[in-house]
Amino acid sequence: MKEKNCMDTRVNLEELHMEGLNVMQTPNSDYLLSNCLYFTVSRFARQMEKLAGEAFAQIDIPPSYAYLIITLNDHPAITQKELCERLTIAPSTSTRFIDKLVKRNLVERKPDGKQVLISLTEEGKSLCKDIYDGLNKIYLLHSELLEKDHSQQLILLLHEASEIMEKGNK
C-alpha cells in the first residue's frame, strides 16, 4: 500500500507537471509559509478579523452578522435561499445566523404561502447606521495599513478569484 503524505491531492501531479505546470515537489515549510495561497489567505483573514473586531468593538454583534443585516436592509423580505446566494454562505450557516438574530429581535421570519421571508425588525433597521460606521472603520484601517490603491487592488483580485473558484467548485 502506497504511503500518503501531505502532498497527495485529487489531481495527478505528474500529469500536471508534464503539461508544463510548476508543481511543488515536497517543499520545505519556509517555502510553504510564504508561497502557499491557502496559508497566506488564512493568515490575512486572521489579521482582517482583528481589524474587524476593533472596528465593531462598540457594536454588540460579530462583523460576520453585519453583512446579513445590511443585505436584509437592502433587500427586505427575501427568502433564506436568496439570502444564502447573495452572501455565498451555506443554508446551515444562514440558519445559525438568523436564529441568533431572531433571538436578539433584530430579524424576523414571516410565513408567505409556502415560503418564509426574512426581514429586519425595527431594532435591526436601527442598527444599520452603526454597522455601516463599523464597515467604514474596517475600510479605513486596511486602507491605511496597505495604502489605499493596494487595498483596492487586493479587494478586486480576491473578489475575482473567489468568483472563479466558486464557478469551478459547482
Side-chain angles (χ1 to χ4, degrees):
M1 183 172 155
K2 182 183 170 193
E3 183 179 320
K4 290 192 171 212
N5 64 41
C6 65
M7 294 304 298
D8 289 339
T9 66
R10 65 182 174 178
V11 296
N12 185 325
L13 296 179
E14 289 178 21
E15 286 177 18
L16 291 176
H17 189 67
M18 286 191 291
E19 291 175 16
L21 296 172
N22 291 331
V23 179
M24 296 185 288
Q25 300 296 322
T26 318
N28 67 34
S29 62
D30 290 338
Y31 178 84
L32 283 174
L33 296 177
S34 60
N35 291 281
C36 175
L37 181 60
Y38 172 77
F39 181 81
T40 302
V41 169
S42 297
R43 179 180 170 200
F44 187 77
R46 288 190 298 274
Q47 296 301 316
M48 288 302 299
E49 282 293 328
K50 287 180 187 177
L51 288 181
E54 290 174 29
F56 276 76
Q58 302 302 317
I59 304 173
D60 191 25
I61 62 163
S64 54
Y65 289 52
Y67 293 98
L68 186 143
I69 291 172
I70 61 171
T71 300
L72 289 174
N73 191 55
D74 289 345
H75 304 279
I78 64 173
T79 65
Q80 185 172 345
K81 181 180 179 184
E82 292 172 300
L83 187 61
C84 290
E85 289 170 359
R86 289 190 177 279
L87 296 172
T88 59
I89 59 174
S92 60
T93 302
S94 70
T95 297
R96 189 175 70 249
F97 284 13
I98 293 166
D99 287 347
K100 288 183 181 181
L101 293 171
V102 165
K103 285 179 185 174
R104 298 201 39 205
N105 195 36
L106 299 173
V107 168
E108 61 189 353
R109 292 180 173 100
K110 295 179 185 176
D112 183 45
K114 292 183 178 183
Q115 56 188 3
V116 176
L117 301 178
I118 314 297
S119 300
L120 289 178
T121 63
E122 288 304 315
E123 193 173 337
K125 290 176 186 174
S126 71
L127 196 56
C128 288
K129 183 191 178 314
D130 291 337
I131 289 171
Y132 283 114
D133 288 346
L135 295 172
N136 280 323
K137 286 179 188 175
I138 293 171
Y139 176 77
L140 292 172
L141 286 168
H142 72 70
S143 291
E144 182 180 328
L145 289 169
L146 299 173
E147 296 180 2
K148 187 176 180 180
D149 289 343
H150 188 75
S151 183
Q152 290 176 333
Q153 188 177 24
L154 184 58
I155 291 168
L156 178 65
L157 288 171
L158 287 172
H159 180 77
E160 289 174 353
S162 292
E163 295 278 323
I164 291 167
M165 290 188 78
E166 286 166 7
K167 287 178 186 172
N169 284 328
K170 286 187 177 182

